[in-house]
Amino acid sequence: DFIINVVFSPDSRYLASVSVDGTTKLFSVEKNFKDPLVLKYNYGFGGRVVFSPDSAKLGASTIVGSDKNIVKIWGTNAGELIQELPHSYGVRSITFSQYENAVYTGSSDMLVRYWDLNSITPVPLYSIEHDDRVEIIQEHPKVASLLLTITDGGKLRVWDTKAKKAVFGPLENRSNIAPW
């Protein structure tokens, strides 16, 4: 069916696609993109798939579809399901931490959650409240405690994750152009 998103892994070994048919396909470049792993995830509008910085994990999120309230994390080597992260609302954004075995998720309940993937019980370590759904989450490349977020309405903030408060912003996108 219709392909929503396609992305290469940071190490260029994999290509992942998201389709409205409810699958993520994980293609290996070394196998010339033949016989992809098919990972079940029921997408709708807003489906995303992202790789961890080391390319060892793949995460999926969506804001519409029967799996809209679940983020699934798979290992890229064999496509094994590592963890499911439950939410009460659809999830638009997911970002793997470059510093920890963890992910940030942004859902339609206007929270950014930080999840430890080493935990057996999927409970976020903390949440940061926003005034709109968060579309973009990015860690600072050199300072682990700084996090950039951009909401659907275009508000940009920099957060101190230790203090759990905004240290810069909000700056507003007044151009009426979607933040992505």
Side-chain angles (χ1 to χ4, degrees):
D1 205 336
F2 178 75
I3 295 173
I4 301 168
N5 193 354
V6 62
V7 63
F8 272 104
S9 63
D11 66 4
S12 302
R13 291 181 54 214
Y14 301 101
L15 176 72
S17 67
V18 175
S19 174
V20 175
D21 66 8
T23 61
T24 288
K25 290 191 178 179
L26 182 61
F27 299 87
S28 170
V29 175
E30 293 168 356
K31 294 181 181 179
N32 293 321
F33 305 101
K34 304 236 189 274
D35 301 318
L37 294 173
V38 178
L39 311 171
K40 292 292 182 186
Y41 191 93
N42 293 310
Y43 294 98
F45 172 77
R48 286 235 170 126
V49 62
V50 297
F51 285 95
S52 60
D54 63 1
S55 303
K57 291 180 280 304
L58 180 70
S61 68
T62 188
I63 58 172
V64 176
S66 60
D67 279 340
K68 69 181 177 183
N69 297 342
I70 302 169
V71 172
K72 292 185 181 180
I73 308 292
W74 295 279
T76 55
N77 190 33
E80 72 282 4
L81 184 64
I82 295 172
Q83 201 157 76
E84 292 186 357
L85 309 174
H87 292 71
S88 54
Y89 291 88
V91 178
R92 175 64 177 158
S93 52
I94 178 170
T95 300
F96 284 91
S97 174
Q98 61 186 339
Y99 301 106
E100 305 283 337
N101 187 26
V103 295
Y104 296 92
T105 59
S107 71
S108 293
D109 63 1
M110 299 181 277
L111 293 175
V112 169
R113 292 172 175 85
Y114 182 74
W115 306 80
D116 178 2
L117 295 178
N118 295 320
S119 173
I120 295 170
T121 308
V123 176
L125 294 178
Y126 62 83
S127 299
I128 302 172
E129 190 170 353
H130 287 72
D131 55 0
D132 199 357
R133 181 179 66 227
V134 175
E135 295 285 336
I136 296 170
I137 304 168
Q138 181 144 1
E139 288 180 314
H140 189 280
K142 295 182 181 177
V143 182
S145 63
L146 292 180
L147 186 72
L148 170 94
T149 61
I150 303 175
T151 66
D152 187 43
K155 289 183 183 175
L156 177 145
R157 290 181 178 89
V158 175
W159 299 85
D160 179 332
T161 58
K162 290 180 184 172
K164 318 269 183 314
K165 68 178 188 174
V167 294
F168 182 77
L171 295 179
E172 294 193 41
N173 173 6
R174 300 195 187 280
S175 66
N176 295 321
I177 298 172
W180 54 89

